[in-house]
Amino acid sequence: MHGRKASSSKDDKAKLEKVKELIPLVNHLIKKKNEKIYDKEYIEKTSLILRRCPNVQTLWNFRKEYFESLVNTSAPVGEVGKGDEEADCPKHLPHEELKTLMKNENTMVEEIMVKFNKCNDLWFHKLWIIKFGLKNDLMDFSDLMNELEYCKRNFNKDDRNFHCWNYRSYIIACVHIYMKWAKNGKAHIGEAQSGKSSTDESDSSSAQLANQFDVHKSNYELSKTLIERNFSNFSAWFLKYTIRESLICTENELDLIKNAIFTDPFDQSMWEFYRWFLFHKGNDKEEIFFTLLQNNCIYFFFQNLVKANLSKSKCYDDKGREITGEWGKHLVDLNNPHESFESYVYFFKPTDENILLNGQSTYLKFCIFYYKYNLHEPGEVHYGKNVLRDLTVCHDFLSEEDKYEHNIVYPIDLRNFSQNEHFKILLDYDRQGGADAKMDSKSSCVSSFTPLYKYISRSNILLNTAKHMNFASLNLELEQINELLLLESNCKFALFTKLEMLRRLEQFDELFPLLELLKQVDSMRIGYYKDLETELRIQKKVHDYYEDSKMGDKGTLDLSGLNIDNITYPLMIEAFFIPSINLSNNLLSESYTGKCTVNFLYNLRELNLSHNKIKRLVVLMKNLYNLKLLEKLDVSSNALANLDEDLDNYSFVLLPNLKQINISDSNLSALLNQRYKNMSELNTYKVVQDGSKVILSKE
């Protein structure tokens, strides 16, 4: 792994012989452990065995129980220094001696690690020593700093030792526990559990060290040191993911990344970080994608599935007074509405209709609470989810209530809503960082919806671009990627990064030839690139629709024959204001998950889904329940139902404005032509047959 040779069979045989020699002694010690006999002779023997074979976890547990017995007045004890010393020990071991004992144990582990630095049992025992020391007031903040230094020395020997990286993350967590605990008037966790307290001088020194420690700076310095020594270290690059913004100089960081990339353009770790730095940095928390107003309801669209806490979410007027109303969401899974905890769209409907309809108020402020579970912040350690849980016992200030809950404070100026007939979009340019050339460009399109498309499109791009980047910055980076490709034309990492840049810059003319090249260079992922090509063709079709002056406000977006098998939200959401969409001759199903973007195009009037793979009209209509303005639906040349369907009891969700459903060339039309040929009405719709056509109509 990582270019290092695995151990030879000769080494494995030697290890096996070593283990065979120790088996009788290990069995004897296990027997003593089960009998809870912690005689110094047996404890010392564990040290001898573990120095030769540290993988015997039972013996490490034996030593743990021994040390725990030293703080238990009822247990017999004996002293073990570094594992080789003999001395009688009183039942009540003095605090300083116990402290020395634990430091010697830690030293013994580090000595064994010189030879066995990839032994999992060693690292976990070392972590146990730290936890035990903290709980019993045997370690202070300086000891935690020493552990971080030990990790640093270990990285100098092996910078990819994942055991050490994990251990360091636990030590950082211990540091945060210690610091929180110091702020609450306790210098050590052990004070609450053992009744001991450290001297004022020790308290002062530890508090001073804790106040000076900065996890962001520590991570930054370590990552800088390791990267400068070896660019190819993903763990070191990963440390930069959560470093405080004030420590990062964007220009210097980009120079460092590109120096690494130009040094070895075929190293994946640097490209992963580079793309994160360009496209995702600062976008860890949820943001509102765009906001719509219809009648007396405000809709909040998100890019991802969000689990909102609607019971805590509030709306206030410009004077800070709470406005009462109903909170709700677009149900993603209608088959299990009670289990649909997440949604892409939430809405608020004020109790007083005059607030929105009659201009009674011009300013509203929303505070929306939501849950997110995958945020990684160095200053926030979720103790309950890792092996440090026992350090939080008896400490209410370390409680993790609402630890995953975040909130969005979102002010709205109602005067900034567009004035189109139905859904009005909030053109909140201030939130998006001011106007941009892409937004203000003149278009030959006569559609009044073009500025609205541009707003949604720009919002989509910005939410998928790092906070510190803009279109000008992306163009500069693109130029340098092109320079690299002149030297290494088949570097798949450079090609893929270029593709992501072009996608955000909407330079479609270059995108598709680049995709074809990627299919050749990176043939292992050809399926992924084909799916990506479909997405890009949809994106280009929507873009071209608004740029075409012939379309106006009533043209049809033609997405037929693109082999589309899935349109997962938010793909194609820019088509929100297009009244008619043709998705015929594709591979779409009825979308059991409800995540198909079509289900969120509330402004849609006509939808063509003919010649797809829709097997159940009932399920399809459930997933289209929010299309209140839909007037025509074409689902011909799909199965739609089973041939043994009971049409006497057949029903589906009724949409208020849906006047016509074309069900020709389907199992449903076959049933109406044969077994139910005398049926004139189906689920309140008249059955109209015109030659080979079968239409459900309300006209």
Side-chain angles (χ1 to χ4, degrees):
M1 188 177 183
H2 303 307
R4 296 174 174 83
K5 291 183 178 180
S7 59
S8 65
S9 58
K10 185 177 180 180
D11 293 334
D12 292 336
K13 288 180 180 178
K15 290 179 182 178
L16 184 60
E17 291 300 322
K18 188 188 300 182
V19 170
K20 286 181 179 179
E21 293 175 9
L22 299 174
I23 287 176
L25 183 55
V26 170
N27 289 336
H28 178 67
L29 290 173
I30 290 174
K31 181 179 178 181
K32 295 299 180 184
K33 176 185 178 297
N34 294 335
E35 295 172 356
K36 298 189 181 299
I37 299 176
Y38 304 116
D39 188 83
K40 63 180 181 180
E41 176 187 353
Y42 302 127
I43 300 301
E44 288 165 3
K45 286 180 180 178
T46 64
S47 174
L48 295 173
I49 296 172
L50 291 169
R51 285 180 181 276
R52 297 180 64 187
C53 184
N55 297 294
V56 188
Q57 186 176 0
T58 303
L59 298 188
W60 288 115
N61 291 338
F62 195 5
R63 296 182 71 83
K64 290 176 186 177
E65 291 177 9
Y66 164 71
F67 290 120
E68 287 170 352
S69 72
L70 297 180
V71 294
N72 185 345
T73 57
S74 63
V77 295
E79 182 183 356
V80 177
K82 294 185 180 181
D84 303 320
E85 302 171 6
E86 294 187 17
D88 292 326
C89 186
K91 288 185 178 181
H92 301 283
L93 199 66
H95 182 70
E96 288 302 318
E97 290 186 27
L98 187 57
K99 196 172 183 179
T100 302
L101 194 63
M102 294 312 300
K103 288 189 177 181
N104 288 340
E105 179 74 1
N106 195 28
T107 302
M108 184 191 82
V109 172
E110 291 179 2
E111 289 174 355
I112 300 174
M113 278 184 175
V114 172
K115 188 175 181 181
F116 302 97
N117 68 336
K118 295 290 181 68
C119 176
N120 210 31
D121 296 306
L122 277 171
W123 287 102
F124 272 103
H125 188 69
K126 187 170 176 60
L127 179 60
W128 176 85
I129 293 170
I130 301 302
K131 294 199 301 178
F132 182 78
L134 288 173
K135 286 193 293 185
N136 294 284
D137 196 19
L138 303 174
M139 291 187 177
D140 56 24
F141 196 81
S142 61
D143 294 307
L144 295 176
M145 294 297 100
N146 290 337
E147 291 305 306
L148 290 179
E149 284 299 315
Y150 174 77
C151 292
K152 190 174 181 179
R153 292 195 302 272
N154 224 285
F155 291 139
N156 290 332
K157 300 175 184 176
D158 183 1
D159 56 9
R160 293 181 177 181
N161 188 339
F162 66 91
H163 298 284
C164 189
W165 282 108
N166 286 338
Y167 178 74
R168 185 182 184 276
S169 68
Y170 287 132
I171 295 301
I172 291 291
C174 287
V175 168
H176 284 297
I177 291 174
Y178 191 101
M179 292 169 70
K180 283 188 176 182
W181 175 48
K183 288 179 182 177
N184 284 268
K186 298 182 185 295
H188 294 82
I189 294 176
E191 291 180 19
Q193 296 180 353
S194 66
K196 299 181 179 69
S197 61
S198 54
T199 63
D200 293 340
E201 183 179 349
S202 176
D203 286 351
S204 176
S205 176
S206 294
Q208 187 176 3
L209 283 171
N211 290 332
Q212 293 174 352
F213 179 76
D214 185 341
V215 62
H216 297 274
K217 189 175 180 180
S218 175
N219 286 347
Y220 176 77
E221 290 174 350
L222 179 61
S223 64
K224 185 174 183 291
T225 300
L226 295 178
I227 289 170
E228 287 177 350
R229 194 175 71 224
N230 179 11
F231 283 136
S232 182
N233 188 334
F234 185 78
S235 297
W237 288 107
F238 179 80
L239 267 188
K240 290 176 173 285
Y241 278 37
T242 55
I243 292 173
R244 189 172 54 242
E245 290 290 334
S246 60
L247 292 174
I248 297 292
C249 173
T250 300
E251 185 177 348
N252 292 342
E253 203 69 18
L254 285 171
D255 286 342
L256 174 65
I257 300 168
K258 282 176 286 190
N259 283 337
I261 286 171
F262 273 82
T263 301
D264 185 2
F266 293 93
D267 190 305
Q268 184 177 357
S269 61
M270 298 174 294
W271 288 101
E272 292 287 343
F273 179 77
Y274 184 41
R275 284 195 292 272
W276 172 82
F277 196 80
L278 292 179
F279 308 134
H280 303 294
K281 189 174 187 299
N283 292 335
D284 49 345
K285 293 185 178 180
E286 295 295 344
E287 290 190 41
I288 291 174
F289 186 4
F290 61 94
T291 307
L292 294 172
L293 170 64
Q294 187 197 34
N295 298 330
N296 189 40
C297 217
I298 292 181
Y299 295 82
F300 302 97
F301 282 69
F302 292 86
Q303 275 203 326
N304 307 304
L305 276 175
V306 171
K307 181 181 178 182
N309 186 351
L310 299 181
S311 63
K312 289 182 67 174
S313 299
K314 304 290 183 183
C315 175
Y316 302 94
D317 63 13
D318 52 357
K319 295 181 180 178
R321 295 172 298 195
E322 183 179 347
I323 295 175
T324 59
E326 175 192 0
W327 286 92
K329 62 187 173 186
H330 177 139
L331 294 176
V332 174
D333 189 356
L334 271 186
N335 293 318
N336 296 293
H338 299 295
E339 297 181 8
S340 186
F341 301 115
E342 300 175 309
S343 182
Y344 296 107
V345 183
Y346 290 86
F347 64 82
F348 176 75
K349 186 175 184 179
T351 305
D352 184 358
E353 295 185 1
N354 293 323
I355 291 175
L356 299 179
L357 297 181
N358 299 331
Q360 181 175 315
S361 179
T362 59
Y363 175 87
L364 296 176
K365 183 173 74 173
F366 291 87
C367 188
I368 302 173
F369 287 84
Y370 69 96
Y371 299 96
K372 192 162 186 177
Y373 304 96
N374 58 346
L375 292 184
H376 176 67
E377 301 175 11
E380 297 295 331
V381 181
H382 300 319
Y383 318 109
K385 292 295 181 182
N386 58 40
V387 297
L388 304 178
R389 181 183 302 177
D390 53 329
L391 291 183
T392 66
V393 176
C394 302
H395 297 291
D396 294 336
F397 55 86
L398 292 175
S399 171
E400 295 191 277
E401 185 178 355
D402 298 332
K403 61 186 174 183
Y404 297 119
E405 190 172 80
H406 309 273
N407 72 297
I408 299 172
V409 177
Y410 188 59
I412 286 180
D413 188 340
L414 297 177
R415 295 169 296 183
N416 290 335
F417 277 103
S418 61
Q419 297 304 310
N420 39 299
E421 181 183 359
H422 290 285
F423 286 93
K424 302 175 181 180
I425 188 171
L426 178 65
L427 301 175
D428 190 0
Y429 295 106
D430 292 336
R431 181 179 64 87
Q432 294 195 358
D436 185 273
K438 289 176 68 65
M439 292 293 301
D440 299 331
S441 61
K442 300 294 182 181
S443 172
S444 60
C445 182
V446 297
S447 172
S448 60
F449 291 131
T450 299
L452 311 184
Y453 154 75
K454 287 182 175 290
Y455 182 88
I456 296 176
S457 176
R458 182 177 188 269
S459 181
N460 191 17
I461 292 170
L462 290 178
L463 289 177
N464 285 283
T465 307
K467 296 294 184 187
H468 59 273
M469 299 298 295
N470 54 40
F471 295 112
S473 302
L474 281 180
N475 275 308
L476 288 175
E477 294 303 310
L478 180 60
E479 290 177 9
Q480 297 190 47
I481 293 298
N482 285 332
E483 290 179 13
L484 176 61
L485 287 170
L486 291 175
L487 303 173
E488 298 288 353
S489 59
N490 289 332
C491 177
K492 64 181 181 180
F493 304 119
L495 291 170
F496 184 70
T497 303
K498 179 180 178 180
L499 183 140
E500 290 293 332
M501 291 179 179
L502 293 174
R503 186 176 186 179
R504 286 160 176 79
L505 295 170
E506 295 185 323
Q507 297 182 16
F508 295 105
D509 292 339
E510 296 182 51
L511 271 172
F512 297 104
L514 185 59
L515 261 177
E516 292 303 316
L517 180 56
L518 272 168
K519 290 177 186 176
Q520 299 172 22
V521 173
D522 192 12
S523 58
M524 293 291 289
R525 298 208 302 166
I526 192 169
Y528 169 78
Y529 293 125
K530 285 182 178 179
D531 291 340
L532 184 57
E533 182 179 9
T534 301
E535 291 183 14
L536 292 172
R537 292 201 181 280
I538 293 173
Q539 190 177 345
K540 184 179 186 301
K541 287 272 189 178
V542 176
H543 177 271
D544 291 346
Y545 175 93
Y546 286 105
E547 294 297 322
D548 188 347
S549 60
K550 297 179 182 179
M551 289 298 181
D553 290 342
K554 298 181 180 179
T556 298
L557 173 63
D558 187 6
L559 298 175
S560 61
L562 294 180
N563 292 321
I564 302 170
D565 60 359
N566 190 18
I567 308 177
T568 303
Y569 180 95
L571 175 64
M572 205 179 81
I573 193 63
E574 293 91 345
F576 187 90
F577 291 100
I578 296 177
S580 176
I581 297 178
N582 180 5
L583 281 164
S584 63
N585 293 289
N586 283 297
L587 306 171
L588 293 168
S589 67
E590 54 268 47
S591 182
Y592 284 92
T593 63
K595 295 180 182 179
C596 181
T597 304
V598 173
N599 307 334
F600 299 88
L601 301 180
Y602 301 162
N603 204 48
L604 200 58
R605 277 29 171 227
E606 296 183 14
L607 177 61
N608 187 344
L609 292 172
S610 63
H611 295 87
N612 275 280
K613 294 188 174 182
I614 300 170
K615 297 179 180 179
R616 304 275 296 169
L617 178 63
V618 173
V619 176
L620 175 69
M621 297 305 292
K622 274 187 177 183
N623 286 323
L624 299 181
Y625 81 101
N626 258 315
L627 304 187
K628 308 299 184 185
L629 302 179
L630 189 66
E631 298 171 0
K632 291 184 179 180
L633 175 63
D634 188 345
V635 286
S636 60
S637 299
N638 287 284
L640 301 184
N642 297 325
L643 286 172
D644 59 352
E645 196 81 48
D646 180 10
L647 297 191
D648 290 326
N649 298 303
Y650 190 79
S651 65
F652 50 81
V653 173
L654 298 174
L655 303 181
N657 286 302
L658 186 57
K659 301 293 191 297
Q660 187 181 105
I661 306 175
N662 187 348
I663 60 171
S664 306
D665 299 321
S666 67
N667 290 344
L668 204 54
S669 64
L671 287 169
L672 289 170
N673 284 327
Q674 298 172 20
R675 190 157 38 131
Y676 295 92
K677 61 183 179 181
N678 295 323
M679 181 175 282
S680 60
E681 187 174 288
L682 181 65
N683 196 35
T684 73
Y685 282 87
K686 293 180 181 179
V687 179
V688 179
Q689 299 193 16
D690 182 10
S692 61
K693 283 188 176 182
V694 179
I695 295 174
L696 302 180
S697 175
K698 284 191 175 182
E699 294 178 339

